[in-house]
Each structure stands twice: as C-alpha cells, then as structure tokens.
Amino acid sequence: MTINRENDLAIGQDSPLYHIRQFFDAIQRTTDEYLFVVDLSSGLTLLSNNFVEEFNLQSNVITDIDSLLMENIYPDDQERYAESIHNILIEKVSDTYELEFRLLNQDGDYGWAECRGFISHDKDGNEIMRTGVVSRLDKRRHADDVTGLLNRFSLSRALRQELSSPDSHGAVVSVGLDNFHVISETYGYHFADIAMKQIAQNISNVLPPDVNLYKLDGDQFALMLPDAMPEEIEIIFASIQLCMREIRNVEDTIYCTASAGAAFYPTDADDEITILKYAEAAMEIARQQGRDRIVFFSQETYDRWRYDTSMQSLMQNCIARGCEDFFLCFQPQVDAKNGHLIGAEALLRWRDKDGSIIAPMQFIPMLEKSRMIIPVGHWIVEQAFAVCKEWQEYMPDFQMSINISLYQLEEHMFYPFVKDCLDRYGLRPETITFELTESQSVSDWEFVNRQFNQFHQLGIKIAMDDFGTGYSSLGFLKNFSCNLIKIDRLFVQDILTGAFDQNLVKYTIMLCHSIGMEVCIEGVEEEEAYIFLRDECKADIIQGFYFGRPERKQVFLRRLKSLKRKTG
Ligand code: C2E
Ligand code: CA
Ligand code: CA
C-alpha cells in the first residue's frame, strides 16, 4: 500500500471526495468510529483522523484501504474479509456489506471489530463511492447486555485508575451467585435474565451510593471499595446476602445465595489483574467451604487452593490416560500367633510429574470430593485382583485387602463390577477383604447398606478400618456386620507404656472375639509391641513396619518366592 504524501492535492476537483470533504471532516468529529470513503474511479481513499493515528499513517489519503485493513486483520479472518470485498466489488452481489473480524490494536493485540460499508451510485446508476465505518467492538462494549451494569473491562479500567494514585488502598470483592444455573435450568433463560436483572438491582440498592457494582462473566459480580476495612465489607456482604435471596417468579419464590471473596490493595496485590484474580479465587474458596459466605484472601489458603486445583487437573489427566501414574504398594499382613504371612493390604500411590511419590492422604480426600474415586476405585480393584491371582500361585490362600471408601459403595455399578472382576480372574471371594475407610459424605446410607450386604453374601470379607476414629465406632458395628476390625495405629503407638491404650486394645479384642469377629492391629513397629499384642491381647492379624513396610509389587514378589523356597 502506498500513502499519498501530497494529501488533499491528490483529490482532484472532479473526484466525489472533493465535494464531501467538508462534510466528512464535520462528521468525524462526532464519532469514535473509524470512517473511510473511497472514490471508486481513482481508488483514492479518505480516512478519518483516528484511522491515521491508529495505524500510524502519514496522510488522510491512501490508495488502497483493503490492503491496509488486510495487513492488520487476524490471519484466520483475512479470507473472510477478502471474500466479502470480492462479492461487493467484483461479483456485485449487494450494495452493502457488514462483517466482523479481529483487528490489530495499538497494544499489539487482536480485538473484535465490525466493518459496515455501502456503495453509492450516480443518477445513471454508475458506482461512484464506497463509504465505510469500522467499529472496535472490544472498546465499545463497556456494559453488560442483561443487567446494563459496567462490565469487567470497565472494572479493570477503574481499578487501574484507582491503583495509579499514590496511597490508594481498599478492596475488591467478587460476588458469585450460588446455583444460579439451577434457576436457568428450571425456569428457562428468559426468566433467568429477569432474575439476574432483579438481583443486580437489589444489590445496587443496598450498596453505599459511591460504590459501583460491576457484572463479570456468568453469575458473577464485583465491587471496588476504596478505603474499606474488613468489618465494613462484612456488613456490605451481609446486606447483599439478605437482599438477593428472594427472586419472585409468578408461581414460586426462588432462593439463591451468594458467595464472596475479598482481596485488599495494595497489601495483597497492587496491580489490577492480580487483585481481581485473588478476589475471584477467594470467592471460589468460599464456595468450596460451603457457599453463602465471604472469604478474605490469604496467601496461605490461596497456595493450598492452587495446589489442590492443579493436582485435581493432573489427576483428571492421569485418569483419562488409564491411571498410568497410579500404582499400588503392598504391605504384609501376618498371623499374630506365629508371624507367618497371610496376605497384604494394597495401598495406593501417585507418581507426581516430577517423579516424587505422593501419599494417599494427600489426594484421596480430593478424589472423593470430585467423585474421581469411582474410576480410580475400579482401577484399584482390577489391579489388586490381578496381583492376588498371580500370587496365589505361590501361596494358594493369599489374602488381598483393598481399601474401599464408603463413598464408593454409593456407586450403583460397583457391585456388578466387582462380581465381574472376580469371575474374570477366577478368584475365590473369601480371599478378598474390603477395608471400609471413612469418607466425607455418604448421602444414601440405605443403598450403602444394601451394597454392603451383597458383598457379604458373595463371601467377600469386610473389615472396618481405623477402628476408634471417625465413623468407625461401636455404633457402626451394630448396624453393619463386619468380619474383622482394624485397630488404628493411634492406639498402638504407646501400647507398651499407656495403661489406657493397653486396656482399650485388650478389651476391644475380647469384645470382638465374643461376637465372632477377628481383629487386625495396624502400626506395629517393634518386637515388644508385637509380643504384647500376641500374648496379652490375643490379636489375630498384625500389620506394621516390624513385619514389613508397603513395598512395590516386584519387591513383595521376591518375599513370596523366598517363602515358597523355605516352605518347599
Ligand atoms: P490405612 O488403611 O489405615 O492404611 C495404613 C496406613 O498406615 C498406610 O499408610 C501404611 O503405610 C501405614 N502404616 C502401616 N504400618 C505402619 C507402621 O508400622 N507405622 C507407621 N507409622 N505407619 C504404618 P498410607 O499408605 O499412607 O495410607 C494412608 C491411608 O490412605 C490408608 O490408611 C487408607 O485410608 C487410604 N488409602 C490407601 N490406599 C487406598 C486406596 O487404594 N483406596 C482408598 N479408598 N483409600 C486408600
Ligand atoms: Ca486400610
Ligand atoms: Ca488405619
């Protein structure tokens, strides 16, 4: 493209541009849009001043507007632009055109723009002029369509301005509507828009007069509160909570709650991107903590949240690739009477991307919360059954214990899956023990109970894990008939010195024996403890570092092979 340096001189008196020049100058003062007019006989184009500035040109008159635009249009959109120009100039399919494309801006980013054009004719029908308007949509859209509130773009600008003044301090609060999607799913998008508008209005009404409410994406709002202290923010949030609960529909009253996160500037961060990110993260944390509350940003909670979310996505990927970063370790379980190996507990491990091994307590709660424990649980059963079958070649009665969180028993496919697995590997159910571990949230106890009984009838043994802690108590024993309890290592730590622990373990074992249950003691690390548990307490099964730590499959296999050699 060439720029005509002689400027206006290039436009001769017989060019239509010559005659509209004054009008064009007047009109460009009244709008932010980029304007151009092309004299179709000469191809010369008159540009508005903002066009010249935006594209760093040296003159208002150029010879090829389309090349100028093409050079600045996002590559993927160029073909569409060329096609549209071809249609109007060559194919002459229409007198007007309108299309959207991404256009480079002065920051070096592409933003959406809209170009509308029109071809005008003289009285004989000859094409004389092409007029066009380019609107930068990215710059124009400062308000939210539904609520009419200022949007994220405006909030960023306001924040940037606020942060640029020295000594400015205050807070950004991000407010998210909990479960708003339920409203749109139940009553449809039209009603959801009305409800959203009403909520926006209600919130605006309870805010101090100088505070702006902004509408961010989806169901999210934000406030900027210069000079605000935490106590004031809590009061403002309490009034938001009150005002937005009732959204009236013709038939029903709909209740919706809000969660919020607040971050302070300049203490938490002093740039607008980070401060907003922190406020939004604090809001996510508030949602995770149970919703309908406000959480103030702290670096520590944020780091933990970041760790959890990144771990969650890593695990999701890992599961999608067939659980390839998970593996099982096996810890020996021995007969307390003689110390002979009877089986192993399968313990899950996860290999981090940098190769470090992560212990299950760090990720099992997250797997449970996200329900990812369901596919991982299937994988564990499959692996443990395969290993058990293999090891029964060396020891026909080898017992495999598998941890199952109660949550997994809520899954309807779990029982059929296990049954199918037993058949496929040709395993005897009585060589399998399910150790039921505590789980955060069981919602359908009735179903859990039924599934539990099915496993029982099938012949799989059931152990109550971590007896004495959490859910695992006498009350549970009364309702669920287990074959075995495992006494948590908490009670074994001081077994040699603590009279309370000694009695507790001893009498629990007596109680269990009297109702026909066996007892496994976990966490046995020393010979003296083992002897005490064997002779004084009459424990049935022992598991602990004294007899072996959790080991990889190959390591455990060597133990089995050497046993076989010894016993012939
Ligand atoms: P748990 O079922 O009580 O497992 C026993 C834990 O105690 C294991 O920790 C084991 O390594 C450890 N331990 C065993 N003997 C000793 C000892 O003598 N001294 C000490 N200090 N520790 C000992 P791990 O492998 O970290 O597992 C922790 C928990 O994670 C398990 O507790 C279980 O609740 C859960 N878990 C492990 N694997 C799975 C799994 O595959 N599925 C489910 N749902 N939960 C699992
Ligand atoms: Ca266990
Ligand atoms: Ca335990």
Side-chain angles (χ1 to χ4, degrees), residues 465-466 487-489 522:
D465 213 349
D466 301 334
I487 295 185
D488 194 70
R489 65 170 183 274
E522 294 183 287

Side-chain angles (χ1 to χ4, degrees), residues 19 32 47 62 88 92 108 118-119 128 134 153 219 226 268 287 309 318 332 460 472 502 537:
H19 300 286
D32 289 336
L47 298 177
I62 60 170
I88 186 154
K92 302 190 193 299
F118 175 66
I119 307 270
I128 49 168
V134 178
F153 179 80
D219 52 16
D268 294 331
R287 278 184 168 163
T309 40
C318 165
I460 286 183
S472 190
Q502 284 184 358
C537 303

Side-chain angles (χ1 to χ4, degrees), residues 523-535:
V524 179
E525 297 185 358
E526 294 151 2
E527 186 174 20
E528 293 81 12
Y530 162 58
I531 291 169
F532 179 83
L533 288 161
R534 180 190 65 191
D535 298 344

Side-chain angles (χ1 to χ4, degrees), residues 334-401:
V334 304
D335 182 340
K337 285 188 287 298
N338 49 28
H340 291 170
L341 182 77
I342 52 176
E345 177 178 2
L347 293 158
L348 187 63
R349 300 287 179 266
W350 184 55
R351 204 181 295 102
D352 200 354
K353 59 180 181 306
D354 62 15
S356 45
I357 307 300
I358 314 285
M361 296 326 283
Q362 278 178 271
F363 60 82
I364 293 227
M366 193 268 290
L367 286 182
E368 284 186 353
K369 220 164 30 190
S370 60
R371 293 193 73 89
M372 286 192 275
I373 191 73
I374 304 295
V376 178
H378 284 208
W379 180 87
I380 293 167
V381 167
E382 181 91 40
Q383 299 293 310
F385 279 16
V387 170
C388 184
K389 183 71 193 172
E390 188 185 327
W391 289 353
Q392 283 180 355
E393 281 174 30
Y394 303 92
M395 204 179 131
D397 288 326
F398 189 90
Q399 302 277 323
M400 184 64 84
S401 287

